[in-house]
């Protein structure tokens, strides 16, 4: 769906859609920046460049290069020293949204949660099955 909004870069009004999240002018600038970065890292001697080296050599901001990587325009398989930060801790990763350490911590927390949930359900089941009878009413009725 198209939506009329302001460009996050220059504040111009444009029609936002699923393909573009910035205005036409900023998009053209981004395309020039992409070409600059791609031409730099495409050269054999620059394929092993780190993020800092690419930023300093091209003058393109790191956030924009990260955007190119996250949108799939730059393939990390071809450039071994490039990566992007983990969404949780900020460590440099090459695949997924979180690093292996954060994924392990998350798995452990989910396991603990599942065990606690199972324990809670077991307690509820036991309480549901336990039946208590009051004998006072029967005794009062006999007297």
């Amino acid at each position: 769906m198209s939506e009329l909004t302001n460009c996050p870069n220059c504040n111009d009004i444009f029609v936002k859609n699923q393909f573009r999240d910035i205005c036409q002018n900023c998009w053209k600038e981004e395309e020039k920046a992409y070409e600059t970065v791609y031409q730099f890292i495409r050269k054999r001697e620059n394929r092993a460049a780190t993020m800092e080296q690419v930023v300093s050599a091209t003058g393109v901001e790191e956030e924009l290069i990260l955007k190119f990587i996250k949108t799939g325009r730059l393939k990390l398989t071809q450039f071994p020293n490039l990566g992007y930060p983990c969404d949780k801790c900020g460590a440099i990763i090459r695949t997924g949204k979180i690093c292996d350490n954060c994924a392990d911590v998350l798995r452990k927390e989910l396991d603990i949660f599942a065990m606690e949930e199972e324990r809670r359900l077991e307690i509820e089941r036991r309480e549901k099955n336990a039946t208590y009878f009051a004998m006072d009413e029967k005794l009062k009725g006999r007297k």
Side-chain angles (χ1 to χ4, degrees), residues 12-138:
D12 275 353
I13 294 176
F14 76 105
V15 177
K16 180 179 181 179
N17 58 33
Q18 64 185 8
F19 303 110
R20 285 202 193 141
D21 58 349
I22 56 175
C23 70
Q24 180 72 18
N25 294 332
C26 292
W27 180 78
K28 286 180 182 177
E29 289 177 25
E30 257 190 29
E31 285 301 305
K32 288 178 187 173
Y34 172 75
E35 280 301 317
T36 303
V37 170
Y38 188 70
Q39 292 302 323
F40 175 76
I41 59 178
R42 202 173 107 201
K43 294 178 184 172
R44 181 177 294 259
E45 63 269 12
N46 296 333
R47 286 191 183 152
T50 62
M51 182 65 75
E52 294 81 24
Q53 291 170 334
V54 174
V55 169
S56 64
T58 62
V60 177
E61 295 177 4
E62 183 174 348
E63 293 83 28
L64 193 53
I65 297 172
L66 292 174
K67 181 180 178 182
F68 297 149
I69 292 170
K70 287 184 178 182
T71 57
R73 294 189 72 191
L74 291 177
K75 305 289 185 208
L76 293 180
T77 55
Q78 299 169 354
F79 312 110
N81 292 331
L82 290 181
Y84 52 93
C86 166
D87 283 351
K88 188 170 183 191
C89 70
I92 301 299
I93 57 175
R94 296 181 52 79
T95 60
K97 291 193 175 278
I98 58 174
C99 65
D100 290 339
N101 293 334
C102 291
D104 290 341
V105 168
L106 191 58
R107 276 190 210 97
K108 288 175 186 174
E109 289 174 356
L110 284 172
D111 289 343
I112 290 169
F113 176 78
M115 287 189 300
E116 286 296 318
E117 186 67 17
E118 189 177 312
R119 187 180 71 78
R120 185 187 63 79
L121 291 173
E122 179 64 24
I123 290 171
E124 281 181 12
R125 188 185 59 77
R126 284 183 189 168
E127 287 177 357
K128 193 175 189 180
N129 289 340
T131 306
Y132 299 99
F133 298 100
M135 295 300 287
D136 285 345
E137 294 297 322
K138 287 186 178 180

